[in-house]
Amino acid sequence: MGLPEPHPGQPRRADLRVSDADRHAVADILREAAGEGRLDIDELEERLEETYKAKTYADLEPITQDLPVAGQAPVSPPSAAVQVVYGEGAASDSASAFLSNVERKGVWVVPQQFSVNAVLGDANIDLREAHYSAREVVINATSVLGSVKVTVPPNVHVIVEGNGVLGDFKEPSEKVPEALTADSPVVRVRGLAVLGDVTVKRRGPRGPKRTLRQHLGLE
């Protein structure tokens, strides 16, 4: 059950400051999820960092939005996923890694057709803060003795249609489930992995990393 609406002049719950107890409660949820295999070690570190940096309930809400929580959660479910913008940006674009590395991350606009090529190199395409030029976009990924990694947030419906030739073309696991809304974009990942790999992963919001020793106060 959600909290009642504030009276006029009162701050919204999302804008209120969280306590240390709130942060610790979210951290416990994350550690339990990691113990159940719902989060890998990198995801746990990222989310713990975001938890201990949170200042308001609005900061905490997205951190556990894709995790089942037993009993009453310390924060209410978010009213919306990450911002989605349509109808802006180029119709096509590309990124290539030949004996090198290339990445797209942070806030950027995904074109309707985006080609990424990795030949003896690594390409990292992160859509967790991306905007979209269309409701449905296509990523054409080619890996030849290289690696292409596509990271999508929970509110994106991803369809993987690629093939591997002595290589791997991997769909996202179920560790982080979809959290779709009526405004969710569709990302089709197509292409070919030849003696290389194309990996699609679903992960929560980005955040600065810290080691587990730092989270435990050992450094």
Side-chain angles (χ1 to χ4, degrees), residues 110-134:
V110 185
Q112 288 183 269
Q113 297 283 336
F114 182 70
S115 298
V116 54
N117 304 292
V119 180
L120 293 170
D122 296 317
N124 179 22
I125 309 302
D126 193 331
L127 305 183
R128 284 177 288 176
E129 298 178 47
H131 296 167
Y132 300 84
S133 60

Side-chain angles (χ1 to χ4, degrees), residues 49-113:
E49 174 66 18
E50 293 165 15
T51 297
Y52 288 115
K53 286 180 60 179
K55 298 185 184 305
T56 67
Y57 285 101
D59 296 329
L60 280 182
E61 285 175 354
I63 297 174
T64 57
Q65 67 178 349
D66 57 356
L67 298 175
V69 181
Q72 185 176 359
V75 296
S76 59
S79 58
V82 296
Q83 181 183 10
V84 179
V85 175
Y86 297 117
E88 300 179 3
S92 64
D93 196 2
S94 63
S96 299
F98 296 97
L99 293 171
S100 62
N101 300 326
V102 66
E103 65 178 9
R104 294 285 179 90
K105 64 181 182 179
V107 178
W108 64 291
V109 180
V110 185
Q112 288 183 269
Q113 297 283 336

Side-chain angles (χ1 to χ4, degrees), residues 138-152:
V138 176
I139 296 178
N140 294 295
T142 301
S143 171
V144 180
L145 293 170
S147 176
V148 176
K149 178 181 177 183
V150 179
T151 304
V152 299

Side-chain angles (χ1 to χ4, degrees), residues 30 33-35 37-41 43-44 47 66-67 175-176:
L30 296 176
R38 301 181 191 276
L39 299 176
D40 61 30
I41 190 67
E43 292 167 328
L44 176 61
R47 297 195 192 197
D66 57 356
L67 298 175
K175 288 184 178 180
V176 178

Side-chain angles (χ1 to χ4, degrees), residues 2 6 10 12 21 36 41 56 71 75 114 141 147 150 154 156 166 182 185 193 199 205 212:
Q10 290 184 335
R12 297 180 307 141
E36 295 172 345
I41 190 67
T56 67
V75 296
F114 182 70
S147 176
V150 179
V156 166
L166 298 177
T199 303
L212 284 180

Side-chain angles (χ1 to χ4, degrees), residues 3-4 12 32-33 60 68 77 80 85 88 90 102 112 133-134 163 168 172 178 181 183-184 186 190 192 199 217:
L3 292 179
R12 297 180 307 141
E32 182 177 351
L60 280 182
V85 175
E88 300 179 3
V102 66
Q112 288 183 269
S133 60
N163 297 297
D168 293 319
E178 288 184 337
T181 69
D183 198 39
S184 291
V186 176
R190 300 171 174 169
L192 188 66
T199 303

